[in-house]
Amino acid sequence: MSSRANLSWGSSTLELLPERAAWDPQRRALLVADLHLGKAESFQAQGIPLPSDGDQGNLNRLLALCTRLGPEQVLVLGDLIHSRLGLTGELQEKLAALPDLMGCELVLVGGNHDRGAVFPSLRAQPSLQLGDWWLSHEPERPPQAGLLNICGHLHPVAQLGQGADRLRLPCFGLDQVQQRLLLPAFGDLTGGHPAPAGLERWVIAEDQVLKLPA
């Protein structure tokens, strides 16, 4: 049985999901970041032979979340794709079909890897406000006090243990001082960077979201 964690901010609650996503039940909005679709194809174009089946696993996971939660919006906080090299005709077709398959609107807040890409029926947007959230790709200071900046880009992971027993697990990271929540990368083929010191961290271990001691 999977578990999730709740984060309260202002008058809103955000559910941190083990699928490396966040759910706003009040606005029925699903937040994900850093899918990096087409990454294998981008590497293949540079002569590095990676298998091409990772995108379907990421998309299936996203569709399963939509089936379970029934969102009105899915907001991708940047880096939907990895590069224009990987934006194949097949991937273009999958992205064009995605809103109908999800049964809801797809909103892309443009990330650094999305720049210069042309998506079918999808326009990358700048950072935006959704209730108590300021949604961006890279960390930003919200334009007004009281908003929580929710962002991707950093692919946060928590390092647990030492030596041969050391684990690197994707995590959510909350910075109370900067009023910022870092989302883990949704894509499987992404890697990660240690979450900055001093953050409240929730690690994802299989199907559990667990808060780490301070």
Side-chain angles (χ1 to χ4, degrees), residues 190-204:
T190 53
H193 303 280
L199 300 191
E200 294 181 45
R201 297 174 299 167
W202 291 261
V203 298
I204 299 168

Side-chain angles (χ1 to χ4, degrees), residues 9-187:
W9 192 273
S11 60
S12 300
T13 298
L14 197 66
E15 297 179 5
L16 310 181
L17 307 179
E19 292 87 353
R20 304 195 292 274
W23 169 242
D24 180 341
Q26 179 181 345
R27 299 171 186 88
R28 304 206 63 77
L30 180 64
L31 311 178
V32 297
D34 300 290
L35 279 74
H36 286 268
L37 300 175
K39 187 169 185 176
E41 289 76 9
S42 297
F43 277 74
Q44 290 167 12
Q46 302 172 65
I48 302 172
L50 290 181
S52 299
D53 55 357
D55 285 351
Q56 196 57 52
N58 291 325
L59 293 173
N60 286 344
R61 194 154 41 90
L62 181 60
L63 292 174
L65 273 173
C66 292
T67 297
R68 191 173 89 234
L69 298 172
E72 295 180 2
Q73 279 187 317
V74 171
L75 298 106
V76 178
L77 305 189
D79 291 356
L80 174 63
I81 65 166
H82 186 68
S83 78
R84 286 177 291 174
L85 289 175
L87 192 56
T88 62
E90 181 183 0
L91 181 54
Q92 290 268 18
E93 292 176 2
K94 288 180 179 180
L95 293 177
L98 201 51
D100 285 339
L101 294 173
M102 295 189 306
C104 67
E105 180 185 15
L106 174 63
V107 177
L108 171 62
V109 176
N112 54 301
H113 283 265
D114 302 313
R115 290 180 190 137
V118 178
F119 301 103
S121 306
L122 180 64
R123 181 175 64 87
Q125 302 188 28
S127 305
L128 57 90
Q129 181 179 350
L130 181 70
D132 290 313
W133 322 125
W134 180 253
L135 306 179
S136 64
H137 176 59
E138 299 184 29
E140 292 183 5
R141 183 180 297 275
Q144 65 188 66
L147 297 180
L148 179 67
N149 176 214
I150 304 177
C151 62
H153 186 60
L154 298 179
H155 303 197
V157 298
Q159 298 191 37
L160 308 177
Q162 295 180 343
D165 290 329
R166 186 171 61 183
L167 292 174
R168 285 168 55 91
L169 298 175
C171 71
F172 299 88
L174 176 65
D175 187 330
Q176 292 277 7
V177 175
Q178 298 293 327
Q179 300 185 340
R180 179 172 299 132
L181 176 69
L182 308 179
L183 295 186
F186 188 82

